[in-house]
Amino acid sequence: MTDLLRPEEWTALRLSLLVATAATMASLGPGLAIGYVLARKRFWGKSVLDALVHLPLILPPVVTGYMLLLGFGRRGPIGAFLESAFGIVLAFRWTGAVLACGVMGFPLLVRAIRLSIEAVDRRLEDAAATLGAPPPFVFLVVTLPMILPGILAGAILAFAKSMGEFGATITFVGNIAGETQTLSAAIYTFLQVPGGEGGALRLTLVSVAVSVAALVGSEWMARRIGGRIAPA
């Protein structure tokens, strides 16, 4: 198995899986909260929040990466504060790749969660509330189980987006082998050198295999979850 890829290719694959997983897990909490707010709450500035959430889907990825560099770079206001106060540096680090991938995949996660919450029958929640259940209990026991397939779908979309992210990541954290070089950046690097087509093809096939496995796994899990929460 280890002969299928070269050591540097395995490194890029492991880093991509680490970055995509960390970005998806870190986005779940905020994505669920914002998805719920957009689906259920009415407030001034809701359209502005919705636009800001979906902005990474509209802007070129390089622009998003440059904005992250301006804000979270060593000279950026947030980046300088994190470095001076906590010693955290994001620019040109794998943790910065997590941030960039999380930002790019966040709109897909929020949209899937929002649509699943909007599809929930409010009468079921109202019935639980009339029985004296507090709102947090209603959400955990009634709403959350019904939106789990949507959460899972959004998480898979965010994971897949993170696995394939290139523009924002390479702008914000560069293409440093062993530190920030993900699969997409490694493929790009192979295509820039003579004779690198073989490595690019191998990593392309790996990317396709990982994406297909994630989609098949998510479909299987969604069916399992849907079967458990379906009414008898």
Side-chain angles (χ1 to χ4, degrees):
M1 183 68 178
T2 56
D3 296 335
L4 295 177
L5 299 176
R6 296 176 180 175
E8 62 273 16
E9 296 168 359
W10 278 113
T11 300
L13 174 59
R14 286 193 295 267
L15 182 61
S16 293
L17 292 173
L18 173 63
V19 168
T21 302
T24 303
M25 296 301 294
S27 300
L28 279 176
L32 181 59
I34 294 180
Y36 184 87
V37 167
L38 292 177
R40 293 291 177 82
K41 303 298 182 180
R42 294 183 179 181
F43 55 93
W44 184 88
K46 180 178 178 179
S47 59
V48 176
L49 175 61
D50 190 32
L52 289 176
V53 168
H54 291 87
L55 196 59
L57 292 180
I58 304 172
L59 291 175
V62 174
V63 174
T64 302
Y66 182 61
M67 292 174 64
L68 290 174
L69 189 61
L70 291 178
F72 291 88
R74 287 181 177 269
R75 297 182 180 180
I78 303 176
F81 170 75
L82 291 176
E83 184 177 7
S84 62
F86 306 103
I88 298 175
V89 178
L90 295 176
F92 304 103
R93 300 287 192 274
W94 75 271
T95 50
V98 172
L99 175 62
C101 290
V103 169
M104 295 301 296
F106 193 69
L108 302 176
L109 175 66
V110 171
R111 182 167 180 80
I113 293 175
R114 177 182 181 178
L115 292 176
S116 64
I117 293 176
E118 291 176 343
V120 171
D121 190 349
R122 297 291 297 271
R123 292 174 297 180
L124 298 175
E125 298 174 321
D126 294 338
T130 57
L131 296 175
F137 184 83
V138 173
F139 178 80
L140 291 175
V141 177
V142 179
T143 309
L144 185 58
M146 290 190 291
I147 67 173
L148 277 179
I151 295 176
L152 178 61
I156 294 300
L157 288 174
F159 178 84
K161 178 65 175 177
S162 298
M163 284 292 297
E165 176 51 39
F166 175 73
T169 304
I170 200 170
T171 304
F172 182 42
V173 299
N175 185 14
I176 306 172
E179 178 67 31
T180 64
Q181 189 179 79
T182 58
L183 279 178
S184 299
I187 292 172
Y188 174 79
T189 300
F190 276 122
L191 292 176
Q192 303 307 305
V193 297
E197 293 82 3
L201 178 59
R202 286 193 299 271
L203 292 184
T204 299
L205 294 176
V206 169
S207 299
V208 172
V210 172
S211 299
V212 170
L215 291 174
V216 172
S218 67
E219 181 67 20
W220 177 80
M221 292 179 64
R223 290 182 179 180
R224 290 288 301 272
I225 295 173
R228 291 183 177 181
I229 64 177

